[in-house]
Amino acid sequence: MMALRDTLLCLVFAAALPLGQIMFKWAAIYNERLDGPLVLRLVKNLPLIGAFSWYGLTALLWFYILTRVPLSQAYIFSILGSALVPLLAWMLFKEPMSWRFALGYALMLAGFIVVMQAQGRT
């Protein structure tokens, strides 16, 4: 069983992943407003620089988590983050969401619950 602090760290990581993806999407939208060659647009794209910075911080958090938690236990939390990305894309960017898509992610979350319960018993 994971300690409460480690579980909370993993949950923060799970929330940080979709936030980074949303930041990259905003950067892509912002990029359409910029003129000039690609390299100049990349340098002027502050949301993109923020997204890279966020991922850098997220990578440091992940490293810290892995000093405390086995990879097999920590990585399962990435499913939570992955499941939030299409939901946030649907809510924030009005991207399409079908019932099959939602069902697939519900199955992923059910798998997360099964794995977490199995880890609690070992």
Side-chain angles (χ1 to χ4, degrees):
M1 182 68 119
M2 248 196 291
L4 178 60
R5 179 178 181 191
D6 294 336
T7 301
L8 292 174
L9 284 169
C10 288
L11 287 171
V12 167
F13 175 76
L17 289 176
L19 183 56
Q21 291 300 313
I22 295 304
M23 292 171 75
F24 275 112
K25 179 64 176 183
W26 276 328
I29 292 168
Y30 184 77
N31 187 63
E32 294 174 2
R33 296 188 229 157
L34 299 174
D35 293 328
L38 176 63
V39 173
L40 186 58
R41 286 193 320 255
L42 293 175
V43 171
K44 294 190 312 185
N45 192 329
L46 295 180
L48 180 62
I49 294 167
F52 280 127
S53 299
W54 182 256
Y55 262 38
L57 291 172
T58 302
L60 291 174
L61 174 62
W62 183 240
F63 173 76
Y64 178 68
I65 289 169
L66 292 179
T67 66
R68 303 174 52 87
V69 179
L71 177 61
S72 61
Q73 291 179 359
Y75 193 73
I76 192 68
F77 283 85
S78 66
I79 289 175
L80 291 176
S82 296
L84 290 174
V85 173
L87 179 63
L88 290 172
W90 173 70
M91 289 172 27
L92 297 173
F93 303 114
K94 309 301 182 221
E95 292 186 6
M97 173 72 74
S98 71
W99 70 269
R100 289 180 182 181
F101 206 75
L103 177 62
Y105 277 97
L107 290 171
M108 284 176 55
L109 291 175
F112 171 80
I113 292 167
V114 169
V115 169
M116 291 307 294
Q117 288 179 344
Q119 287 181 359
R121 293 190 175 123
T122 58

